[in-house]
Amino acid sequence: MNATGGTGFAASEGRGPVAVPAAGVAGVPAVGLARRGGGTILGAIGDTPLVQVEGIWVKLEYLNPSGSIKARIAKYMIERAEREGLLRPGDTIVEASSGNTGNAMSMVAAVKGYRMLVVMPDGMSAERLAISRAFGAQVMTVGEFHVNDALAKVAELGREPGYFAPQQFDSEWNVEENRTWLGPETLAQLPGGVVPDAVVGGVGTGGTIVGVGQCFRGRNPSCRVVAVEPNESCTLMCGEVGRHLIEGISDGFVPGIFARHRQIVDEIVAVDSDAAIGEMRRLAREHGLFVGPSSGAHLFAARDLRARCPGLRHVVTFFCDEGEKYINDYFLGA
């Protein structure tokens, strides 16, 4: 079968935070402090802070439960599958992931009582594998670094009775979540009168940059949509596939979501892995933001965009996962 922590503040470039509402606007789940008084950890997904870092608007998605932006699609897609009758008690959820979606779906499965099988390639951070197992998931490693072989295994298992494959790389539910939840939530947190001139994001599944791009275009039809990929693996721009250090983006193929919606993307930019890692380390040292390599790549690309296009005053990007997932690779010897 297939198919915002905090109080919603936006910190200004000036002296302090500017209080703006995050939840309660059309299309945004009302995930506020009152709701978090009960229920489960799933109620804490979303309503993450929006801050400014070096003149760039940054949504701190790494503060979601499970430690990444992928908590949103995990909750959204699994609950949508339940409503559609595609996922039933006793079923096993199976998904191909380089790590973060596997972590997030394992968390949701644990809360809801489903079995979870994460199929991921070798060569990912040990922490991301361990987190899925901590949530009670079974982890199967297939292939090396890129997720192509894992996708084939999931497609095979997803046809078996008792399995549900969300298919994050291809499902329009992924785009829908970003268009109707993350995008409107971000717009609601921008100060009054501020309209996004551009949105910058790496392409793992393509769901975030496509869905948020669609949402932002509804507010500003000229909003520039910029996709990011590693310079060592320029798959979207020229079909090259290579090893790189920006885990979570450029998984070795062009995702179905991106292929179908490529026309919404105005520009694809490549960022060197070393530059992304350097920015990641600097964000922790200078801004107290302990994030992963893709966040470094996003800030690098967003800042470069503003330098090249000074007329783009309000550029939005995302810090997608937490630095704790990369302790062994980048921080123990730092």
Side-chain angles (χ1 to χ4, degrees):
M1 292 177 288
N2 298 308
T4 33
T7 56
F9 70 85
S12 72
E13 285 185 285
R15 299 190 175 207
V18 178
V20 291
V25 299
V28 182
V31 185
L33 294 180
R35 179 174 169 182
R36 290 181 185 170
T40 71
I41 189 65
L42 303 187
I45 297 171
D47 196 21
T48 56
L50 179 73
V51 302
Q52 278 200 323
V53 179
E54 299 173 5
I56 305 297
W57 292 105
V58 179
K59 195 81 162 86
L60 302 184
E61 285 295 290
Y62 73 98
L63 297 177
N64 277 303
S66 81
S68 85
I69 195 171
K70 298 297 188 178
R72 292 180 186 264
I73 65 164
K75 180 178 186 293
Y76 189 93
M77 296 175 72
I78 287 172
E79 292 185 349
R80 181 69 180 269
E82 291 175 325
R83 294 196 299 272
E84 299 284 338
L86 299 174
L87 180 60
R88 301 176 178 87
D91 283 350
T92 298
I93 302 166
V94 57
E95 184 61 293
S97 172
S98 60
N100 281 324
T101 301
N103 294 167
M105 289 191 173
S106 298
M107 175 189 68
V108 176
V111 172
K112 291 178 171 288
Y114 296 109
R115 290 185 290 271
M116 181 74 207
L117 173 59
V118 180
V119 186
M120 62 186 296
D122 283 317
M124 300 295 102
S125 76
E127 290 87 348
R128 296 206 286 183
L129 186 150
I131 289 168
S132 290
R133 287 179 171 159
F135 285 127
Q138 178 185 354
V139 179
M140 177 189 300
T141 55
V142 177
E144 178 66 24
F145 192 71
H146 296 298
V147 302
N148 306 60
D149 292 338
L151 281 171
K153 185 64 177 178
V154 166
E156 173 191 328
L157 290 171
R159 292 189 290 268
E160 297 293 325
Y163 285 90
F164 169 68
Q167 294 191 332
Q168 61 161 331
F169 293 94
D170 200 57
S171 174
E172 282 299 305
W173 292 352
N174 183 342
V175 179
E176 186 177 281
E177 178 275 305
N178 285 281
R179 184 178 62 248
T180 63
W181 186 2
L182 177 57
E185 182 182 299
T186 305
L187 289 176
Q189 289 175 300
L190 288 167
V194 172
V195 175
D197 296 308
V199 58
V200 176
V203 175
T205 65
T208 298
I209 194 63
V210 168
V212 174
Q214 290 173 344
C215 174
F216 283 12
R217 287 272 176 84
R219 177 70 63 88
N220 174 15
S222 63
C223 179
R224 191 165 185 80
V225 179
V226 179
V228 178
E229 65 179 348
N231 193 40
E232 300 88 351
S233 189
C234 291
T235 309
L236 305 178
M237 282 193 281
C238 53
E240 294 178 358
V241 176
R243 293 292 293 257
H244 61 88
L245 301 177
I246 312 175
E247 290 187 36
I249 67 175
S250 190
D251 285 313
F253 63 101
V254 178
I257 289 171
F258 189 86
R260 290 194 304 273
H261 296 282
R262 191 176 192 127
Q263 73 281 356
I264 198 174
V265 176
D266 296 298
E267 181 182 1
I268 303 170
V269 298
V271 175
D272 287 337
S273 289
D274 287 346
I277 300 301
E279 285 293 277
M280 173 192 73
R281 293 182 187 277
R282 191 177 66 81
L283 282 165
R285 289 195 310 268
E286 298 183 10
H287 294 284
L289 297 166
F290 194 31
V291 293
S294 67
S295 301
H298 287 176
L299 182 62
F300 185 94
R303 202 174 53 233
D304 177 71
L305 177 66
R306 278 198 67 185
R308 290 187 288 111
C309 306
L312 302 177
R313 294 181 56 211
H314 299 291
V315 177
V316 178
T317 194
F318 310 92
F319 286 178
C320 292
D321 66 357
E322 61 189 6
E324 286 89 343
K325 298 191 180 195
Y326 307 93
I327 292 285
N328 282 288
D329 288 341
Y330 301 116
F331 294 104
L332 281 182

PDB file of all heavy atoms in Angstrom, residues 181-201:
ATOM      1  N   TRP A 181       0.899  23.599   6.167  1.00  0.00           N
ATOM      2  CA  TRP A 181       1.273  23.676   7.575  1.00  0.00           C
ATOM      3  C   TRP A 181       2.534  24.513   7.769  1.00  0.00           C
ATOM      4  O   TRP A 181       2.480  25.620   8.308  1.00  0.00           O
ATOM      5  CB  TRP A 181       1.437  22.258   8.152  1.00  0.00           C
ATOM      6  CG  TRP A 181       1.690  22.190   9.636  1.00  0.00           C
ATOM      7  CD1 TRP A 181       1.752  23.230  10.527  1.00  0.00           C
ATOM      8  CD2 TRP A 181       1.917  21.005  10.401  1.00  0.00           C
ATOM      9  NE1 TRP A 181       2.004  22.767  11.788  1.00  0.00           N
ATOM     10  CE2 TRP A 181       2.108  21.407  11.748  1.00  0.00           C
ATOM     11  CE3 TRP A 181       1.983  19.647  10.082  1.00  0.00           C
ATOM     12  CZ2 TRP A 181       2.364  20.499  12.771  1.00  0.00           C
ATOM     13  CZ3 TRP A 181       2.232  18.733  11.097  1.00  0.00           C
ATOM     14  CH2 TRP A 181       2.418  19.146  12.426  1.00  0.00           C
ATOM     15  N   LEU A 182       3.678  24.019   7.298  1.00  0.00           N
ATOM     16  CA  LEU A 182       4.925  24.739   7.529  1.00  0.00           C
ATOM     17  C   LEU A 182       4.919  26.116   6.868  1.00  0.00           C
ATOM     18  O   LEU A 182       5.331  27.111   7.470  1.00  0.00           O
ATOM     19  CB  LEU A 182       6.110  23.914   7.022  1.00  0.00           C
ATOM     20  CG  LEU A 182       7.490  24.572   7.133  1.00  0.00           C
ATOM     21  CD1 LEU A 182       7.811  24.971   8.568  1.00  0.00           C
ATOM     22  CD2 LEU A 182       8.576  23.651   6.577  1.00  0.00           C
ATOM     23  N   GLY A 183       4.466  26.186   5.625  1.00  0.00           N
ATOM     24  CA  GLY A 183       4.464  27.463   4.916  1.00  0.00           C
ATOM     25  C   GLY A 183       3.605  28.520   5.602  1.00  0.00           C
ATOM     26  O   GLY A 183       4.104  29.615   5.924  1.00  0.00           O
ATOM     27  N   PRO A 184       2.306  28.246   5.851  1.00  0.00           N
ATOM     28  CA  PRO A 184       1.470  29.245   6.527  1.00  0.00           C
ATOM     29  C   PRO A 184       1.963  29.593   7.929  1.00  0.00           C
ATOM     30  O   PRO A 184       1.858  30.753   8.352  1.00  0.00           O
ATOM     31  CB  PRO A 184       0.091  28.572   6.578  1.00  0.00           C
ATOM     32  CG  PRO A 184       0.096  27.632   5.424  1.00  0.00           C
ATOM     33  CD  PRO A 184       1.505  27.123   5.337  1.00  0.00           C
ATOM     34  N   GLU A 185       2.501  28.612   8.649  1.00  0.00           N
ATOM     35  CA  GLU A 185       3.032  28.888   9.985  1.00  0.00           C
ATOM     36  C   GLU A 185       4.167  29.900   9.908  1.00  0.00           C
ATOM     37  O   GLU A 185       4.269  30.825  10.735  1.00  0.00           O
ATOM     38  CB  GLU A 185       3.503  27.592  10.625  1.00  0.00           C
ATOM     39  CG  GLU A 185       4.045  27.746  12.040  1.00  0.00           C
ATOM     40  CD  GLU A 185       4.538  26.419  12.600  1.00  0.00           C
ATOM     41  OE1 GLU A 185       3.724  25.474  12.713  1.00  0.00           O
ATOM     42  OE2 GLU A 185       5.743  26.313  12.902  1.00  0.00           O
ATOM     43  N   THR A 186       5.034  29.740   8.921  1.00  0.00           N
ATOM     44  CA  THR A 186       6.166  30.651   8.757  1.00  0.00           C
ATOM     45  C   THR A 186       5.684  32.056   8.381  1.00  0.00           C
ATOM     46  O   THR A 186       6.150  33.059   8.935  1.00  0.00           O
ATOM     47  CB  THR A 186       7.130  30.113   7.686  1.00  0.00           C
ATOM     48  OG1 THR A 186       7.522  28.765   8.029  1.00  0.00           O
ATOM     49  CG2 THR A 186       8.374  30.985   7.576  1.00  0.00           C
ATOM     50  N   LEU A 187       4.735  32.138   7.452  1.00  0.00           N
ATOM     51  CA  LEU A 187       4.202  33.438   7.059  1.00  0.00           C
ATOM     52  C   LEU A 187       3.586  34.161   8.249  1.00  0.00           C
ATOM     53  O   LEU A 187       3.742  35.380   8.399  1.00  0.00           O
ATOM     54  CB  LEU A 187       3.147  33.268   5.963  1.00  0.00           C
ATOM     55  CG  LEU A 187       3.644  32.852   4.579  1.00  0.00           C
ATOM     56  CD1 LEU A 187       2.464  32.644   3.641  1.00  0.00           C
ATOM     57  CD2 LEU A 187       4.598  33.887   3.999  1.00  0.00           C
ATOM     58  N   ALA A 188       2.883  33.412   9.104  1.00  0.00           N
ATOM     59  CA  ALA A 188       2.221  34.027  10.257  1.00  0.00           C
ATOM     60  C   ALA A 188       3.218  34.578  11.272  1.00  0.00           C
ATOM     61  O   ALA A 188       2.886  35.481  12.037  1.00  0.00           O
ATOM     62  CB  ALA A 188       1.312  32.999  10.937  1.00  0.00           C
ATOM     63  N   GLN A 189       4.446  34.055  11.274  1.00  0.00           N
ATOM     64  CA  GLN A 189       5.450  34.505  12.237  1.00  0.00           C
ATOM     65  C   GLN A 189       6.240  35.709  11.749  1.00  0.00           C
ATOM     66  O   GLN A 189       6.912  36.363  12.553  1.00  0.00           O
ATOM     67  CB  GLN A 189       6.414  33.350  12.557  1.00  0.00           C
ATOM     68  CG  GLN A 189       5.776  32.245  13.383  1.00  0.00           C
ATOM     69  CD  GLN A 189       6.733  31.078  13.567  1.00  0.00           C
ATOM     70  OE1 GLN A 189       7.172  30.471  12.606  1.00  0.00           O
ATOM     71  NE2 GLN A 189       7.050  30.776  14.799  1.00  0.00           N
ATOM     72  N   LEU A 190       6.205  35.995  10.456  1.00  0.00           N
ATOM     73  CA  LEU A 190       6.901  37.177   9.964  1.00  0.00           C
ATOM     74  C   LEU A 190       6.202  38.428  10.493  1.00  0.00           C
ATOM     75  O   LEU A 190       4.978  38.460  10.614  1.00  0.00           O
ATOM     76  CB  LEU A 190       6.901  37.182   8.429  1.00  0.00           C
ATOM     77  CG  LEU A 190       7.800  36.150   7.754  1.00  0.00           C
ATOM     78  CD1 LEU A 190       7.465  36.055   6.265  1.00  0.00           C
ATOM     79  CD2 LEU A 190       9.274  36.487   7.954  1.00  0.00           C
ATOM     80  N   PRO A 191       6.960  39.468  10.831  1.00  0.00           N
ATOM     81  CA  PRO A 191       6.339  40.703  11.323  1.00  0.00           C
ATOM     82  C   PRO A 191       5.343  41.268  10.313  1.00  0.00           C
ATOM     83  O   PRO A 191       5.458  41.031   9.104  1.00  0.00           O
ATOM     84  CB  PRO A 191       7.532  41.645  11.516  1.00  0.00           C
ATOM     85  CG  PRO A 191       8.714  40.743  11.679  1.00  0.00           C
ATOM     86  CD  PRO A 191       8.430  39.550  10.817  1.00  0.00           C
ATOM     87  N   GLY A 192       4.381  42.017  10.804  1.00  0.00           N
ATOM     88  CA  GLY A 192       3.372  42.591   9.941  1.00  0.00           C
ATOM     89  C   GLY A 192       3.979  43.401   8.808  1.00  0.00           C
ATOM     90  O   GLY A 192       4.881  44.207   9.018  1.00  0.00           O
ATOM     91  N   GLY A 193       3.480  43.168   7.616  1.00  0.00           N
ATOM     92  CA  GLY A 193       3.966  43.889   6.458  1.00  0.00           C
ATOM     93  C   GLY A 193       5.148  43.250   5.757  1.00  0.00           C
ATOM     94  O   GLY A 193       5.492  43.643   4.637  1.00  0.00           O
ATOM     95  N   VAL A 194       5.787  42.255   6.391  1.00  0.00           N
ATOM     96  CA  VAL A 194       6.936  41.585   5.775  1.00  0.00           C
ATOM     97  C   VAL A 194       6.443  40.473   4.851  1.00  0.00           C
ATOM     98  O   VAL A 194       5.656  39.606   5.256  1.00  0.00           O
ATOM     99  CB  VAL A 194       7.890  41.007   6.835  1.00  0.00           C
ATOM    100  CG1 VAL A 194       8.961  40.141   6.176  1.00  0.00           C
ATOM    101  CG2 VAL A 194       8.542  42.133   7.624  1.00  0.00           C
ATOM    102  N   VAL A 195       6.903  40.499   3.616  1.00  0.00           N
ATOM    103  CA  VAL A 195       6.553  39.495   2.617  1.00  0.00           C
ATOM    104  C   VAL A 195       7.834  38.794   2.183  1.00  0.00           C
ATOM    105  O   VAL A 195       8.842  39.460   1.916  1.00  0.00           O
ATOM    106  CB  VAL A 195       5.866  40.151   1.402  1.00  0.00           C
ATOM    107  CG1 VAL A 195       5.608  39.119   0.303  1.00  0.00           C
ATOM    108  CG2 VAL A 195       4.562  40.813   1.814  1.00  0.00           C
ATOM    109  N   PRO A 196       7.848  37.457   2.121  1.00  0.00           N
ATOM    110  CA  PRO A 196       9.084  36.771   1.713  1.00  0.00           C
ATOM    111  C   PRO A 196       9.430  37.045   0.260  1.00  0.00           C
ATOM    112  O   PRO A 196       8.596  36.873  -0.626  1.00  0.00           O
ATOM    113  CB  PRO A 196       8.753  35.290   1.940  1.00  0.00           C
ATOM    114  CG  PRO A 196       7.262  35.204   1.872  1.00  0.00           C
ATOM    115  CD  PRO A 196       6.751  36.507   2.415  1.00  0.00           C
ATOM    116  N   ASP A 197      10.665  37.492   0.046  1.00  0.00           N
ATOM    117  CA  ASP A 197      11.153  37.720  -1.310  1.00  0.00           C
ATOM    118  C   ASP A 197      11.775  36.465  -1.909  1.00  0.00           C
ATOM    119  O   ASP A 197      11.880  36.354  -3.132  1.00  0.00           O
ATOM    120  CB  ASP A 197      12.202  38.832  -1.304  1.00  0.00           C
ATOM    121  CG  ASP A 197      11.623  40.166  -0.875  1.00  0.00           C
ATOM    122  OD1 ASP A 197      10.600  40.586  -1.452  1.00  0.00           O
ATOM    123  OD2 ASP A 197      12.192  40.780   0.054  1.00  0.00           O
ATOM    124  N   ALA A 198      12.216  35.538  -1.042  1.00  0.00           N
ATOM    125  CA  ALA A 198      12.849  34.310  -1.525  1.00  0.00           C
ATOM    126  C   ALA A 198      12.795  33.255  -0.437  1.00  0.00           C
ATOM    127  O   ALA A 198      12.762  33.573   0.757  1.00  0.00           O
ATOM    128  CB  ALA A 198      14.301  34.562  -1.939  1.00  0.00           C
ATOM    129  N   VAL A 199      12.801  31.998  -0.856  1.00  0.00           N
ATOM    130  CA  VAL A 199      12.921  30.877   0.069  1.00  0.00           C
ATOM    131  C   VAL A 199      14.016  29.964  -0.465  1.00  0.00           C
ATOM    132  O   VAL A 199      14.102  29.714  -1.670  1.00  0.00           O
ATOM    133  CB  VAL A 199      11.588  30.120   0.246  1.00  0.00           C
ATOM    134  CG1 VAL A 199      11.042  29.584  -1.078  1.00  0.00           C
ATOM    135  CG2 VAL A 199      11.724  29.001   1.269  1.00  0.00           C
ATOM    136  N   VAL A 200      14.881  29.499   0.442  1.00  0.00           N
ATOM    137  CA  VAL A 200      16.043  28.688   0.079  1.00  0.00           C
ATOM    138  C   VAL A 200      15.981  27.381   0.846  1.00  0.00           C
ATOM    139  O   VAL A 200      15.768  27.378   2.071  1.00  0.00           O
ATOM    140  CB  VAL A 200      17.351  29.436   0.433  1.00  0.00           C
ATOM    141  CG1 VAL A 200      18.572  28.553   0.149  1.00  0.00           C
ATOM    142  CG2 VAL A 200      17.441  30.750  -0.332  1.00  0.00           C
ATOM    143  N   GLY A 201      16.155  26.252   0.156  1.00  0.00           N
ATOM    144  CA  GLY A 201      16.135  24.970   0.848  1.00  0.00           C
ATOM    145  C   GLY A 201      16.764  23.852   0.047  1.00  0.00           C
ATOM    146  O   GLY A 201      16.658  23.826  -1.186  1.00  0.00           O
TER     147      GLY A 201
END
